Amino acid sequence: MANPRPSQQGGPPDYENERIGPSGESSAFTRPFTLYEALPYTPFTSIVPFDSGVLPAPSIGSASPAPGLNDLIPNQDFETLNQEGRDHTLPSRRLQQTVNQFQHLIERGNITEFKFKTKPRTDGASAVRPSLLASGLSPFSKMVYDQTSIPFRYPTPDTPNSTPPNGHQAASLSFRNPAPLKTASPVVPKAEPPKQLPKHSSSTPKNKQAHSHNTARLEIVLPTKRQLEQAALLIKSSASTGPNESVTPASIPRAGSLQPYQQIAAPSLPSPQLIEAREESVPTTPKRTPSQVPTGTQRAGISIELPSAASFNKNEYILVPDEPDEPVNFSARKRKRGEFGDEDMYGDSLDNRQRAHAAFNELRQFLQHIYEAENHSLASRSGNEVVILTTDNEPTLTALAQTKIQTQLTRTIELNCFKSVPLDDLSRLLRLSEGALKQSESLEIKIEGSWGAVDVEQWQQQLPSLETAIRAARTSLRVMCGGREDKQLYSEDTIEQCLNLFKRLLDGIVIPIAELRNSEHTAELFKLLSSNKKAIISLFTDCQKLFSLMSLLISKIDTSDTVTNTLEFAASRLIFMETAHAEKDSVLDTGKFDRLRLVAMDMLSQIFLQHPAQRQGIFDEILTSLEKLPLGKRARTFKLVDGTSIQPISALMMRLVQTSAGKIDDSRNAGRSKAMQSLEDDKDENTAANADAQARVFTVRDEDQAAIQHATAIAELESIANPLMDTARRNASYVINFIINRALKSTKSGDTPYRNLLDLFVEDFTLCLDNPDWPAAELLLRLLMGYMFKLVDNDKSGVPAKNMALELLGLIGAAISKLRGHVRKTASALDTRDSDDLGLYLTDLAASALEQKSRPEQMVAWVGPYRATLEYLESRFSMDPHLASAISFIESDWGLKVCSSYESYADDARERDQEFGKVAYRLREMIQDRRWLSNEFSFKEVTPSQARLSYAITLLRSNLCESFGAVLNILLSSMASDQPTVRSKSLKSINQVLETDPSILDGDSVVIKLILQCSNDSSTQVRDSALGLMGKCIGMRPALEDKMITTVVDRFTDTGPGVRKRAMKLAKDIYLRNSNKSVRSAIANGLLHRVQDPEESVRDLARQMIEEIWFAPFHNGGNSAVSQISLADHVALMVQTVKQGNVSIVLDKVLQTLLAPESKTAKASLEVCTKLVASMFDLVDSPDPDDPSAPTGRDALQVLVIFAKADASLFTFEQLRLLKPHINSIANSEDLAVSRAVVVIYRRVLPQLSSAHSQFLMDVRKELMPTVSKVTRALLDDIVACLWIISTRLESSLHVARLTVSSLQQIQKLHIMAQKNPGAFEVVHIRRFDRYSLIVGMVGKHCQLDEHRKLFEDGVRKWTGPSVSKLMVDVVVPFASPAYPLDARKAALDSVGLICQSSPRGYVQPNVYTTFQEVFDSQNPALEAMILRSFKEFLFAEEKRSEEAPEGPAANSAKGGEKKRELTVIGGTTYDDVASETTHRFLKEIIRIATATQDEHAFLAVEVLASINRQGLVHPKETGVTFITLETSSNTRISELAYLEHKALHGKHETVVEREYVKALQSAFCYQRDVAKDGRGATTNPFTPKLHLMMEVLKISKSKNRQKFLEKLCAQIDFDVSKLEMTEELPPHVQYSRFIMENIAFLEYLTVGEVHTIVSAIERLVTSTGATVAQAIESDVFEVRMDAIEPNPTTNLEGQAQVNPNRPDVDFKKLRRLTAGSMILLALWEVRTYLRRLYNMGTNRRESKGKTQAKDLSRTPIKAQAVTGDKLWDEIATVMTALTSRERMMETCKAFVELMNVDKEFLVQDEDEEMNGEDPATPSNDEDEEADEPSAGRGRKRKALGTPGGRKKRARSSSQPRKRGRPRKQSTENADDGEFDDDWM
């Protein structure tokens, strides 16, 4: 409470008895009534006796109650301020800040304004004594008086008074600015003559006069040098006059008016007295006449007259960025209240005291009522509504009474009057609670799973007694938590009873109900308990409150270790109890259990805080129980303030870490120790408690001392904060290390959940990162980040570990990036919304922090971001006591930051270091006493957004956020890792960061370059991830499309189908957004090419996308001008796409699919295509544009051809008429492309015309006929087709018949000439024959002229035959004989082929097929191509006819004869017999051509084979081998077509084709060796097996069938060493084996079982065949012999077999043969070792000896990314050079024998040598059941008698043979005792 009589020092004078003015006149101010004078007029007369303390002392003009100056600041501080005011000429910064704080307190808006009526005054009483007002003030008080201006409106008097308020300087006071002016030069006011106040009439109000003075003009003029010199002379003269002499008062300004200018004077300037003197001595100031007195309007302005500067050099100045000034008005010390002793129990305000008195009386009254009820109950031996009797006749309170007494106890404790409650009352209350607690011990409350309805009903009947016992326990605990030091209240028995009750509740009710499920055995109990849910919920609520009170008890008193350990165990059980995943499976709402978990977390936190010795055990218990935590949505049930949810265990860990940074309250420890002193007899425990309670003595005692001894203050702060933060870091590190180490040993899909839990923890920590309630999240993430850095940088880290590190670093980087974005957004919002000083200050500070430019002292300033965060948490502490841990953590962290910031400065800055010292002292006090800050200082209100921004600013300068660049660099560098999965994971992590901060992509970003680089990676997974990231980048920064579109389109041809699909989808999105025609054209072109993709899903997707981007947008288009423009643009795009890309055939197929009747959008697509065709005709006759990219008429015609081929109905007759001019100029047209396009369109569309357009048709025929002899072959084909169509429509073909007869006649003449004189057949004749034969062939292909038989008989000599087509063949075919030149033969074969296409029976004419056979026998590619082209056209036509065949029989079903005819041949078409016969006749030749080369000639043959295969004209085995062989071709067109046909064959005839696979392998090898000239089994960069397409086809089969194939594949390597063919330099079987082995090594296996199958097959082969080869080498090459059993002096000490030193030279042929066998087996063993390492099978066979479960065999194998094929490739290449010299052969044989005899993978390593992990291991003969059977022709390998090179074997320790089976592992000590088992060599 304020002192009613403040001392006069530093405060205003007491005016109570001072009412006489200096002249003896009565003062205008009347003394107010005293308290007792005013009391009769107030309602307080009713209070008897009356205490003046209930009223604050009145103080006019300030807030009520208004404290004196001494109460605002401590006396010591006040004296310090006064001393500074006396000692310093200029006020210090501290002094000025304090003045500013007082000015803020007495601003008009902060004080109450009183209005009093005054009596009339006379002019004589106008002088209020200003000298008396300021007299007697201390220097600091006078400074406040002089610098403070309070605007006011003087009350209206009855009599005018001309005296201005506050004396004659009142006007100038209103202009005073309490803040110092910022200027670099002294300001000396211009001296003016004494002003004469204007006279006013007596009716002028006094406030108007005051206003007139307030509007006076203030002029500040800088004196000249001459004026300053004159002022100096005046100073000397005034000094000589002495103190008794004075200057005229009228010419001397009041000192107070100069105070603002004194504050800003530089140290080098004269003192204030000099300035005053200079002001007096300015003689040049003219005196104003009355007429020159400024008016009121003139006085209102402020004029500052500055002398003009001589010059200004801009180069002498630099631009310095503005830094946020440290605010001085945010924080202020609180007003001191009177200190009360122990006798003060009623608080410090009247309201609290009254409420405390009322609560105390209410409690006493209720206790009295209870005791009366108890007496009555004992007397009557019956209970009542307050007290009941237990079964032992002990009185106890009812449940209702317990609840009421608990409420009253809580109120008295909160109001600080609990200490006044008599001890006897409390002791008696505790005794009343003991009865219910004792009675509960006899209750059977445990729920059993076998209970029925009766048991549940009995249990239900006990619930009221149980409820009473729980509330009695709560009452007892509430009394103990009241803070009383009376030892009688703390009964250990009572605590134990409460604890036992809770244990029984937990074990008997809470846990059983939590674990109860609606299962088959407990369904009845589940239903019964669910029906009593309301009673159980009430019971759970009581349990929760009971546990909360126990948690409070732990914090209030010292308990025994038993109690503490029991509560800790109970809390752990509650936290990790297993609850239902769904509400339907739980008796109660799962939220009830979550509330219990929260209480358990509070309990653990309290134990953790109060018992440091148990902290490690608590962490261990939590961490080892993490496996019990649920995963998924049920995992996150802990609600944060912002509404998000995290795991309760995450919150608990952060709270424990935060608690570690807090200091235990020593005073509270001392109080607890004192209270429990009688209960704890063990002196050792008390000694520990007392030692902990000892207060530490510090040197620095106050802020002033801290400012002076700042280094000492910093050191003392560090001595407190550093150990606390070290403890927090140590605990956080323990948690992080534990979780990471467990996560590294588990997977996301494994049995242990630690890997998934780690992700959940990191996500929780990142969610809490910017939440000031959880500052430990930053520490945990920082430690986690450091651990991940080590994993990434460590070369020994495995790929899974690096992937995990990159994934978590991505999460952390994204969180940091999100935080930075949040700071930008919040700062921007505060800048516009919250315009208060704090918001603006934080905004400026945030901008500096984001740029990493904020100074350390700004971050740790007393009113900086740390302080704002703490004030916000303190304001919420009363509502959430758990914030204590966050507050303590931030305080300790702030303290460390202050220490580090102080040490970071090497220079000495007095003000800065003093401020550091003060802050250090304050933080030390805050850490020591959590309430110190709230008791000592006040702070402006901090909004939640400001608090969040403040905390975020501190985070931005933390080590975690400052490592953002390092995180980003690691993610970027990992994109170039040599491990594909690491590259892929880094791309995904970068994606997470980009989603939160897209600004990383801005500018010349290295991220973009790396992403583009990864898009061309060798790994499919990396390329796919890169494309996904590119899509995200384009979505965030659309401008990046230009950089990335080329890469996206290039991925259309990726080897991975998934990558192709992703690229297509991404390109589609770009297409729809981008209006650039070139971009759209490139995308459309790429999509059209994918319509022919080998993968069906890719083909379908491409067709769908073409429809969506080219046709779907116009489905609902109208005929508006906008639609027409859009359509025209689209036509231009289509024309450009067709022009630039070879997509005509593809677009034709797409259009046919869209317009097919079965298409869902056929009708809409038809309308769109019709509009497109109409739009394209607008371009046909348009002149060529100047823009080369614009479409021309020529280009438009090419697109119209495609539409005409797709559907002729899209064209109209008028459109055809528009094309007729181009027909007229075909013969002499220079642009053949235009001519052919028009003819092709006519060929497709003319069949749609009717006979009504006969004249048009005749005109067209008339124009076309003359061109027959002049046009090219391709154009002639279309012209003849058009002529026949016109002839059909006009029903007149005579013109064509005459043309044909004429051509035949000319051919016959040439034939006769050649027969007479073969040498006369020259070039000119060949050209004529070529033209005539071409015309005949084209007519024969398109026309049926049998109706003109008579014409042909008359015109052609010697014609015999059934048809005109046979006549044509007979006339032309003689020119195909070898007697004619090659060009003539080509023309003849071409013509015959054309004729046979429409008359296929010509193929079976003897003169035709014999001619064909002659051509094939001569193997002339040019002539063969003519025949194959004819076959291709014929077979394709037959295919098309077969596809349309189902419609034919339906249409002709009425014609029985035709139907019968269709069923007589395969396929039901007319010429299937011809096709079958021709195919069988020439199949071998076609296959020979297809497999002889890889050029276009071979591809033509493959196309013919494919058509034959599709029509089923031959048996599948006849073409299957060929297609499998051609799959290995390096010609992509050949291999893809062969793959499609093989896949179709395998799908239809799997069993038949499988039988041919072995033959196909040999054929493929020969094809690669002889045709491709590459006998290796794979291609490099990347390694791709040549049989990979074959394996793709086998994916259709079952896994069992694939495994059989793999066994057959491996069996192809097996050989008999004695029968190896050695004719070539590298034996054929060696080459073939290498081909098979390299395919085996690099094939993609679908299941683990397949890998096991091939590895086992290899090991069996090496074991069986290798034994024979090794034995032959030992006996024939090294001549190893078995020594005699008797000791032989020549035998080595170890009794081992040895090599004959005198062996003769080995037969070279035998050596080559044995070397070849060794080469095969050594290379095969390298493949086996590579596969084991690649698929993590281990190189030691014993590691995979156990049987693998079936479910594991069906899983997809996982590759070890660190294993590459380069080493295997080089090893095999090295092995294949073994035959180059005799020495190499011997070395190879030696290496193989050593491989068979020494198991290097099981060899014990010597101390002086290291094992090479890449060496192969020795195969075993008994590892698999099949190997136990001896192979035919080979016995089991005998014991080797020696090793080449003199290597000695170790002797056995005993003669007892080892048992068969898995050998035991040997240690280093017993490694010499014997050899391995025989089977392990």
Side-chain angles (χ1 to χ4, degrees), residues 1737-1757:
M1737 297 173 63
T1739 56
N1740 194 335
R1741 299 181 63 187
R1742 299 162 182 81
E1743 296 177 6
S1744 58
K1745 178 64 179 173
K1747 292 185 177 180
T1748 309
Q1749 298 182 1
K1751 65 177 183 179
D1752 296 329
L1753 292 176
S1754 61
R1755 290 180 178 176
T1756 303

Side-chain angles (χ1 to χ4, degrees), residues 569-583:
F569 176 73
S572 299
R573 287 193 65 190
L574 282 174
I575 291 174
F576 295 102
M577 65 180 171
E578 183 180 356
T579 56
H581 295 285
E583 298 291 343

Side-chain angles (χ1 to χ4, degrees), residues 1841-1853:
L1841 299 180
T1843 55
R1847 183 180 177 89
K1848 299 178 181 179
K1849 292 189 175 182
R1850 294 165 179 157
R1852 292 184 183 273
S1853 59

Side-chain angles (χ1 to χ4, degrees), residues 62 137 306 318 431 514 748 924 983 997 1062 1082 1220 1228 1347 1475 1488 1575 1626 1703 1801 1816:
S62 66
L137 295 180
L306 300 176
I318 60 173
R431 287 195 299 271
K748 290 189 176 182
R924 190 196 77 194
R983 298 195 294 269
D997 188 8
R1062 184 184 289 273
K1220 187 179 177 182
N1228 55 7
E1347 61 178 310
R1488 173 185 58 78
L1626 189 62
R1703 67 177 183 272
E1801 294 167 357

